[in-house]
Amino acid sequence: MIVNPLRDPRDRRLPRVPDPCALVVFGITGDLARKKLLPAVYDLANRGLLPTNFALLGFARRDWGDTDFAELARDAARKAARTPWREEVWERLAGSVRFVQGSFDDDNAFDELAGALADLESSHGIGGNAAFYLSIPPSMFPVVLKQMERTGMAESTRDRWRRVVVEKPFGHDLTSSRELNELVDSVFSAEDVFRIDHYLGKETVQNLMALRFANTLFEPIWNGHHVDSVQITMAEDVGIGGRAGFYEKTGAARDVLQNHLLQLLALTAMEEPVEFSAEEIRTEKLKVLRAVSLPDDLRAAAIRGQYEQGWLAGQRADGYRQEEGVDPASKTETYAAVRLGVETRRWAGVPFYLRTGKRLPRRVTEIALVFKRAPHLPFADTDTEELGNNQLVVRVQPDEGVTLKFGSKVPGSVMEVRDVSMDFLYGEQFTEASPEAYERLLLDVLLGDATLFPRNAEVEASWAVIDPLEEFWASTTPYPYRAGEWGPRAADEMLAAEGRRWRRP
Ligand SMILES: NC(=O)c1ccc[n+]([C@@H]2O[C@H](COP(=O)([O-])OP(=O)(O)OC[C@H]3O[C@@H](n4cnc5c(N)ncnc54)[C@H](OP(=O)(O)O)[C@@H]3O)[C@@H](O)[C@H]2O)c1
């Protein structure tokens, strides 16, 4: 065997622990920080994955001291931590927690933050390294970035790294995402920018790459010769949960299609990367996103919907327009489905159906490869009505796993063929529970591993797909569907017109 001298000789199975560093969270009192970020920090500490020299700094407007903040952080972590609660772990962490109060337009507050970071360098030995998490309203990104630039906080040097984490949405359309990218890239260097699409932190999404590139079984049939169509679904049973202000301006396509679904499409359709590295994986994903095509007739292949009052799990659910804070004449979509093409040799002619929606019958995210039917069935006198297309389904959540659906003989004296399923369930095969997506991604930020973070060109290529859809939809009214149904009838008709139907996961 020839050994590649460029390969890192370290044992990859050993957990990697980041350099001494600080994590600065702007918007620490917000929903995301409380529900996801603080619990993730605790879980990482509990798993021994944070460096000994670590500090957590929170920034928000509330008139708090370090003790108030430590209390909030403890409550939030305790409530949503994935791993068992150990008081001694929290006690250790609490000794390195700081709060800086101020508004984003307040120069003094940022000077104070820069000072606090400098103090921590000597008092906690963080070595000047810091990651800044923008867990704040997107409209605030420019002012915070400018402040970081002004105070010199954003500067990486030979002796220290400085990184920034940007939450979605990355802009509102192609133009605004370009502006945002330009701004971020003018303050931080490209390799120090981490754009979070938390779907990529999910274990099953990463398993998609293992499934494809670590096996010989699937790759030979992973193409338009064998695949009839691909369905990518992200369904939620919940409504907008008090986030009307955000959702009214956003809608399902900008909220989910532009990021999560197109990233899943890219991972499903991409070619094998030269190696499993950030650069190579992002390069392959980008090629797919640039190859995505929209149907010529959007009326027939781009459907959006809005839920009306209905029933879900035996409970009455309000319609979208009745939700608090929603315009009673709102045209914002809560459901979007579209047929896309991927113009490559591997996928030419294969439709990729993407759909997402709120108040659908159940919460499920999955990628389904629907295979072509056998060209000939030699069962002249056999009942094959129950025989569908073979399917390979990667379930991202819940019940993470993979299902293979194929035809099998029904036991008995007659020849009857019917679909059966073969299931792999993560929870059954592995004893180790999967880390939460934010846990994995926060650790990657601190390690400087950008593999699971889309780069700016990917974000822009995705907006280039969404912009024409939004433009077309701007002059239409979403089709209604009842809460608890699988979206509007028009979405079913879209597939039926092409001789297909949506999976009912
Ligand atoms: N929540 C989620 O589940 C979720 C999911 C995906 C992405 N995101 C993204 O994550 C980001 C944060 O979302 P969120 O839901 O946590 O928002 P949020 O609950 O509204 O929190 C916003 C935070 O920013 C602070 N803030 C706002 N204006 C400020 C100002 N002028 N000066 C200083 N602090 C200010 C607020 O603190 P004070 O009011 O105390 O000052 C609060 O801590 C957004 O970009 C969102 O799109 C959120």
Side-chain angles (χ1 to χ4, degrees):
M1 190 177 77
I2 300 169
V3 176
N4 182 345
L6 297 175
R7 285 273 146 79
D8 188 338
R10 280 177 309 171
D11 187 342
R12 293 280 180 193
R13 289 164 302 178
L14 292 176
R16 290 181 297 161
V17 176
D19 303 329
C21 62
L23 173 65
V24 180
V25 181
F26 293 108
I28 194 77
T29 55
D31 188 61
L32 183 73
R34 277 181 290 118
K35 285 198 192 134
K36 297 289 182 189
L37 305 183
L38 289 165
V41 170
Y42 167 80
D43 285 325
L44 289 174
N46 202 10
R47 292 167 64 207
L49 295 177
L50 289 182
T52 318
N53 298 338
F54 174 77
L56 174 66
L57 269 105
F59 188 103
R61 281 170 300 194
R62 256 158 254 201
D63 187 13
W64 277 356
D66 288 342
T67 329
D68 303 306
F69 170 50
E71 234 166 79
L72 163 112
R74 183 179 183 283
D75 285 354
R78 180 143 204 190
K79 211 178 264 171
R82 177 183 67 85
T83 57
W85 186 256
R86 291 197 293 152
E87 202 59 44
E88 68 274 18
V89 170
W90 180 257
E91 286 300 319
R92 250 198 326 273
L93 208 53
S96 329
V97 163
R98 297 278 178 282
F99 182 75
V100 176
Q101 189 232 342
S103 179
F104 296 145
D105 51 11
D106 179 357
D107 288 359
N108 293 335
F110 273 81
D111 293 341
E112 198 187 317
L113 179 64
L117 265 177
D119 288 347
L120 284 166
E121 226 170 289
S122 47
S123 65
H124 281 69
I126 60 163
N129 302 321
F132 300 94
Y133 201 118
L134 303 185
S135 184
I136 58 175
S139 57
M140 296 287 166
F141 290 168
V143 56
V144 173
L145 286 163
K146 289 265 157 60
Q147 289 282 21
M148 283 195 274
E149 187 177 35
R150 183 187 66 77
T151 48
M153 270 193 279
E155 248 167 67
S156 288
T157 63
R158 254 202 348 206
D159 304 321
R160 71 173 205 200
W161 51 257
R162 293 287 161 107
R163 299 179 185 139
V164 68
V165 186
V166 187
E167 262 293 344
K168 72 165 199 137
F170 317 116
H172 194 67
D173 53 19
L174 181 56
T175 310
S176 59
S177 81
R178 275 196 183 134
E179 282 165 11
L180 176 63
N181 282 334
E182 272 166 28
L183 176 67
V184 177
D185 291 344
S186 70
V187 178
F188 285 88
S189 15
E191 69 269 18
D192 294 330
V193 182
F194 293 74
R195 293 172 185 80
I196 291 236
D197 184 326
H198 71 267
Y199 258 65
L200 302 188
K202 288 183 187 288
E203 205 72 24
T204 9
V205 171
Q206 295 159 53
N207 188 40
L208 187 58
M209 285 187 273
L211 189 78
R212 292 190 55 194
F213 304 128
N215 297 298
T216 50
L217 194 56
F218 305 111
E219 203 52 20
I221 52 169
W222 206 274
N223 55 54
H225 296 301
H226 300 278
V227 175
D228 166 80
S229 56
V230 178
Q231 293 190 18
I232 304 181
T233 300
M234 182 186 145
E236 294 178 283
D237 50 0
V238 293
I240 52 166
R243 298 180 76 207
F246 160 78
Y247 206 82
E248 273 284 86
K249 283 186 270 155
T250 311
R254 288 190 170 100
D255 190 31
V256 175
L257 199 54
Q258 184 272 335
N259 37 71
H260 305 325
L261 292 190
L262 283 176
Q263 282 291 323
L264 293 183
L265 177 146
L267 286 167
T268 307
M270 76 182 194
E271 296 302 315
E272 181 177 296
V274 173
E275 60 174 13
F276 196 77
S277 70
E279 189 55 29
E280 300 300 340
I281 291 174
R282 289 154 132 197
T283 299
E284 294 305 333
K285 281 196 294 166
L286 180 60
K287 275 157 59 180
V288 174
L289 291 168
R290 289 205 171 131
V292 168
S293 66
L294 284 162
D296 294 335
D297 183 7
L298 287 177
R299 261 172 317 173
I303 306 294
R304 53 182 206 138
Q306 190 186 68
Y307 61 83
E308 292 187 326
Q309 184 198 309
W311 291 85
L312 248 166
Q315 303 254 349
R316 214 184 89 130
D318 276 344
Y320 177 69
R321 291 178 180 186
Q322 284 89 54
E323 301 268 15
E324 200 182 324
V326 171
D327 175 359
S330 172
K331 287 189 174 180
T332 301
E333 83 279 0
T334 59
Y335 175 99
V338 62
R339 165 166 49 77
L340 300 175
V342 176
E343 305 308 324
T344 61
R345 176 170 284 230
R346 185 186 284 266
W347 295 114
V350 178
F352 281 70
Y353 299 106
L354 273 52
R355 68 175 157 166
T356 181
K358 290 199 176 284
R359 289 263 188 250
L360 300 184
R362 54 176 298 221
R363 168 178 168 259
V364 62
T365 300
E366 62 165 43
I367 301 156
L369 266 70
V370 179
F371 290 92
K372 291 183 174 166
R373 294 188 73 111
H376 169 70
L377 289 176
F379 311 112
D381 302 322
T382 301
D383 181 0
T384 53
E385 267 172 31
E386 297 286 320
L387 179 66
N389 295 50
N390 296 163
Q391 296 182 7
L392 181 72
V393 184
V394 177
R395 255 185 334 279
V396 176
Q397 68 177 20
D399 307 327
E400 292 82 351
V402 180
T403 293
L404 188 62
K405 211 172 126 198
F406 54 94
S408 173
K409 181 185 173 304
V410 179
S413 53
V414 292
M415 188 67 184
E416 185 189 342
V417 184
R418 187 187 287 174
D419 276 345
V420 292
S421 297
M422 204 155 78
D423 277 322
F424 150 64
L425 274 171
Y426 256 82
E428 282 181 1
Q429 295 279 328
F430 298 105
T431 46
E432 165 108 357
S434 303
E436 262 280 314
Y438 276 97
E439 208 177 315
R440 165 69 199 252
L441 295 175
L442 258 186
L443 180 63
D444 282 358
V445 170
L446 302 182
L447 288 166
D449 181 345
T451 309
L452 301 177
F453 298 82
R455 74 175 170 213
N456 55 7
E458 287 172 66
V459 172
E460 288 175 17
S462 303
W463 279 119
V465 175
I466 300 298
D467 273 8
L469 285 174
E470 292 289 356
E471 202 175 308
F472 161 67
W473 279 331
S475 58
T476 67
T477 303
Y479 292 103
Y481 62 98
R482 267 205 294 266
E485 289 181 348
W486 279 106
R489 200 170 324 134
D492 292 336
E493 287 163 4
M494 162 175 133
L495 262 71
E498 296 168 7
R500 302 186 177 94
R501 63 175 176 211
W502 290 108
R503 278 178 42 79
R504 291 282 181 256

